[in-house]
Amino acid sequence: PFGCSVGLNGRYRNYVSVPRSSDFQFPGETELSIEMWIMPNKTTESHKSYGGTIVSKYNRGRMGQFFMHLEQSGDLFFHRETPPWGLRSSGVHIPPGVYTHVAVSYGGGRSKLYINGTLRGSQKEGPQ
């Protein structure tokens, strides 16, 4: 029913596991783009957590690793396993209960982070 997408219902520990593949290796200066629509759950008194890992191919210290994380503050954080060790959204928080388009890219020596199509963070990064 979803075509080329995955729908998650927001229950505790919902995730998709993709088998290991060289298609998800981005070492050195390999360009990459990752995008998705997210809708974080609203926080309630009984369920205070907000945020968490959105996408990850991460094993600390290995080349080609990355993750995107929604912090409890609502900031979006993208990390490639290379200095300066992460890029945080600037001045825009992801609201709970609302669909938001998020995207990150790496190419030309820069990582970029977009929220709803607007550049919200950019920094120079070296190859992994």
Side-chain angles (χ1 to χ4, degrees):
F2 296 108
C4 221
S5 65
V6 175
L8 303 174
N9 63 9
R11 293 193 177 123
Y12 183 67
R13 293 189 179 185
N14 269 174
Y15 67 92
V16 173
S17 179
V18 178
R20 186 179 195 150
S21 169
S22 61
D23 291 339
F24 297 109
Q25 294 289 339
F26 302 101
E29 294 184 9
T30 304
E31 296 180 349
L32 69 95
S33 294
I34 303 167
E35 66 174 310
M36 67 209 74
W37 286 93
I38 62 171
M39 184 175 66
N41 286 337
K42 294 181 179 179
T43 57
T44 64
E45 196 57 36
S46 62
H47 185 74
K48 295 187 180 202
S49 67
Y50 175 76
T53 301
I54 299 170
V55 64
S56 175
K57 189 206 180 291
Y58 189 70
N59 185 358
R60 188 177 188 152
R62 299 189 67 172
M63 297 205 32
Q65 307 296 300
F66 61 89
F67 67 84
M68 188 181 337
H69 184 83
L70 180 60
E71 297 181 326
Q72 287 191 334
S73 65
D75 288 335
L76 195 59
F77 182 77
F78 176 63
H79 172 82
R80 287 178 63 243
E81 194 61 21
T82 187
W85 313 113
L87 173 61
R88 194 168 268 106
S89 59
S90 176
V92 175
H93 302 295
I94 306 296
V98 175
Y99 278 105
T100 303
H101 186 260
V102 296
V104 293
S105 66
Y106 172 76
R110 294 198 77 78
S111 284
K112 297 178 182 179
L113 192 148
Y114 297 86
I115 299 175
N116 288 326
T118 301
L119 181 65
R120 296 297 183 182
S122 177
Q123 70 185 11
K124 183 176 172 67
E125 290 187 1
Q128 291 184 322

